[in-house]
Amino acid sequence: MHSFVPGSEEIYSAGIDIGTSTTKLVLSKFFIRNMAGGMHMPRIEIVNKEIIHRSPIYRTPLKSATAIDMKKVKDLVMLEYAKAGIAPADIKTGAVMITGETATKHNAREVVDHLSDYAGDFLVATAGPDLEGIIAAKGSGAYEYSKKTGKVVANIDIGGGTANVAVYQAGKLCGTCTLHIGGRLIELSDGHIQRLSPPIKQLLPQLGVTLVEGRGYTRPELKQITDYMAAVIERMLRCRLIGEDDVLLLGHPPDWEEEIEAIMFSGGVSECLYRYERATEETVYEDIGELLATSLQENSGLASWRWIPPSETVRATVLGAGMQTTDISGATIQVDPADLPIKNLPVFRVSLNHDLKTGKAVIHQAVKQAIELYDPQREGQNFALYVSDIPYLSFKDVQFLAGVLLEAIQAKPFSAQPLVIVLEADYAKVLGQTLTFQARQQSVISIDQIHVGHGDYIDIGHLLKTGVVPFVVKTLTFQH
């Protein structure tokens, strides 16, 4: 299904989002091309992305209150692939995400790992509230809006179980925060409370509201709760959460310093605001999503910001997962295709401080620290060394650096496992070839033009025809 001419390639990407309330899938086509002239070093870039299939919005299949129905999820994914005329083997990149409260189901990790292996050649399995907020901001258009305007924009992605917030300024991530705020935290049925989530049960005494599962409720009681949720969101955006708000805080408090200039809402609750999906009949949610949307609209503090309409509402996360998570390495790389793909590889940053003379001690110390951090039980957890602040290197310098790296990794419990080097500068091929020459039995993956941070995790896909590898940088690993 792939067309190929020298210096160009088409690959398919899948985004799968298994959320608290709904499950969605999007299939996309990426166009990759060498943007350098014939006499220059290759510069392979993703030049265009095209959505080729969007699934309906499915209700997330559950076996019970604590378990996802893995077979039904797999069946609906395969059904959508068939509709699009795509086979799993055609998929070269993308992401499977477990989001919101679904990430707390006891088999969530098993489901996402199974799908990432079954549904494509290289699909990232991921979850975690911070990463979810980041991906939603890219799918909603907030990230792109911040790049175009230079403004500080907060994307608030509110689904069934969580509100995931990511703040960007001029395309740069400023910070994240996640709250236990969502449309399905209170589920209703025939005028009665069907389910109260644990955060709501903790919140009710603070508000002086009495709700009991199996009993009736009044609209003012529910509205009091959603009004409080809207107020918490407003305080969170201003980094002014109070002690009483902690019951709704999931993880760390807001961690940006910039003053927000505009806000954007995405997620299922934003669909109650914007109605992008154009349902053929009035949707009955049997939860507090509609009331929460009303409370957001009525909150005077939130009204003080400019509201930017999202490009996507309920599909923001799945579009971000399918279209915005993947990047492409430099073309001058050295990899052994037999070692790919590699998933969930932690990154340890090594700064040479533009001084190769001190590099030997720095690299040896970095490898020891990386082992202590990522493999304290000496079980063989591999890691990538991200070598930054590299000075200009002559060929002798490259030979010296290769020798130091090979010497340093002898401290690893399994030193023969792939040596993964990630570089800022364009030295990956020459360094990789030198490493392979100096230690022919050592498997080496050396890639460049990738920007990662200390503590990030990376996934590296199969070598493509254009001589590059797709990769995904994750700021957090899977969290229960």
Side-chain angles (χ1 to χ4, degrees), residues 46-64:
I46 297 174
V47 295
N48 193 27
K49 301 174 184 179
E50 173 188 316
I51 299 171
I52 59 173
H53 181 73
R54 297 175 184 235
S55 77
I57 307 295
Y58 290 99
R59 180 71 72 182
T60 296
L62 299 176
K63 275 188 173 179
S64 67

Side-chain angles (χ1 to χ4, degrees), residues 36-255:
M39 302 299 291
H40 296 83
M41 294 286 285
R43 191 178 80 251
I44 310 298
E45 295 180 6
I46 297 174
V47 295
N48 193 27
K49 301 174 184 179
E50 173 188 316
I51 299 171
I52 59 173
H53 181 73
R54 297 175 184 235
S55 77
I57 307 295
Y58 290 99
R59 180 71 72 182
T60 296
L62 299 176
K63 275 188 173 179
S64 67
T66 60
I68 303 164
D69 191 325
M70 184 161 63
K71 182 182 183 303
K72 287 186 178 178
V73 170
K74 177 182 168 184
D75 287 348
L76 70 84
V77 168
M78 292 302 105
L79 172 65
E80 295 303 318
Y81 276 25
K83 286 182 185 178
I86 295 288
D90 296 321
I91 303 298
K92 297 301 179 187
T93 189
V96 180
M97 295 194 69
I98 297 277
T99 57
E101 285 199 317
T102 311
T104 67
K105 306 303 183 188
H106 73 77
N107 65 338
R109 182 61 184 264
E110 179 188 359
V111 170
V112 79
D113 285 345
H114 177 73
L115 269 181
S116 71
D117 289 335
Y118 185 88
D121 199 21
F122 173 61
L123 276 180
V124 177
T126 187
D130 285 350
L131 184 60
E132 183 182 343
I134 290 166
I135 290 176
K138 291 185 175 181
S140 72
Y143 165 77
E144 198 61 37
Y145 180 86
S146 78
K147 278 180 67 176
K148 288 180 179 177
T149 64
K151 293 184 180 298
V152 182
V153 183
N155 190 74
I156 307 104
D157 187 80
I158 310 178
T162 56
N164 303 90
V165 181
V167 177
Y168 280 91
Q169 181 179 33
K172 175 180 174 289
L173 180 66
C174 303
T176 59
C177 186
T178 301
L179 300 168
H180 288 291
I181 291 178
R184 300 291 290 177
L185 294 183
I186 300 178
E187 296 179 30
L188 313 172
S189 178
D190 296 324
H192 292 79
I193 300 290
Q194 181 173 330
R195 187 184 78 93
L196 297 170
S197 68
I200 294 297
K201 289 178 180 178
Q202 291 179 295
L203 175 65
L204 292 178
Q206 290 182 197
L207 300 182
V209 176
T210 301
L211 293 176
V212 179
E213 292 175 346
R215 296 186 183 178
Y217 61 88
T218 66
R219 190 178 189 279
E221 287 175 322
L222 298 183
K223 186 68 160 41
Q224 185 177 346
I225 296 167
T226 59
D227 284 348
Y228 183 78
M229 288 178 170
V232 171
I233 289 174
E234 189 258 341
R235 286 194 289 271
M236 177 270 302
L237 292 173
R238 300 188 192 279
C239 298
R240 295 177 187 168
L241 289 175
I242 58 178
E244 288 82 356
D245 300 336
D246 286 351
V247 67
L248 295 183
L249 183 64
L250 174 57
H252 63 81
D255 57 0

Side-chain angles (χ1 to χ4, degrees), residues 258-446:
E258 296 77 4
E259 189 171 324
I260 291 168
E261 298 173 272
I263 60 177
M264 185 180 290
F265 287 97
S266 63
V269 170
S270 78
E271 178 59 23
C272 299
L273 294 170
Y274 296 105
R275 308 292 182 189
Y276 283 7
E277 293 295 318
R278 303 198 191 331
T280 54
E281 57 186 61
E282 188 64 28
T283 304
V284 179
Y285 294 104
E286 294 190 312
D287 58 28
I288 58 170
E290 292 275 8
L291 270 182
L292 179 53
T294 300
S295 294
L296 295 171
Q297 290 173 312
E298 294 176 352
N299 184 278
S300 59
L302 292 173
S304 67
W305 282 295
R306 182 181 178 190
W307 288 38
I308 310 300
S311 55
E312 294 287 342
T313 54
V314 67
R315 298 177 189 267
T317 301
V318 72
L319 282 167
M323 298 190 73
Q324 303 294 338
T325 56
T326 300
D327 211 334
I328 297 294
S329 73
T332 52
I333 62 175
Q334 177 76 13
V335 298
D336 184 344
D339 292 326
L340 300 175
I342 292 179
K343 299 184 179 182
N344 289 325
L345 197 65
V347 175
F348 195 93
R349 181 176 179 178
V350 189
S351 173
L352 297 185
N353 295 313
H354 303 286
D355 184 1
L356 199 59
K357 291 181 181 178
T358 61
K360 183 172 183 176
V362 169
I363 290 171
H364 276 264
Q365 181 63 21
V367 170
K368 290 178 182 177
Q369 290 175 337
I371 294 169
E372 291 172 6
L373 180 62
Y374 298 125
D375 193 20
Q377 303 303 316
R378 305 300 195 270
E379 295 172 336
Q381 167 63 58
N382 202 5
F383 51 84
L385 289 175
Y386 175 46
V387 185
S388 63
D389 305 312
I390 301 173
Y392 172 78
L393 299 179
S394 66
F395 185 64
K396 273 193 171 182
D397 292 334
V398 172
Q399 290 179 308
F400 172 77
L401 179 58
V404 171
L405 287 165
L406 291 169
E407 187 179 289
I409 64 168
Q410 296 309 307
K412 294 168 66 176
F414 301 101
S415 58
Q417 65 190 177
L419 168 58
V420 183
I421 305 294
V422 179
L423 305 173
E424 280 180 322
D426 195 14
Y427 287 111
K429 192 170 191 71
V430 65
L431 179 60
Q433 289 176 336
T434 305
L435 286 163
T436 302
F437 180 79
Q438 291 188 8
R440 296 191 182 279
Q441 301 305 311
Q442 177 66 55
S443 177
V444 174
I445 296 173
S446 181

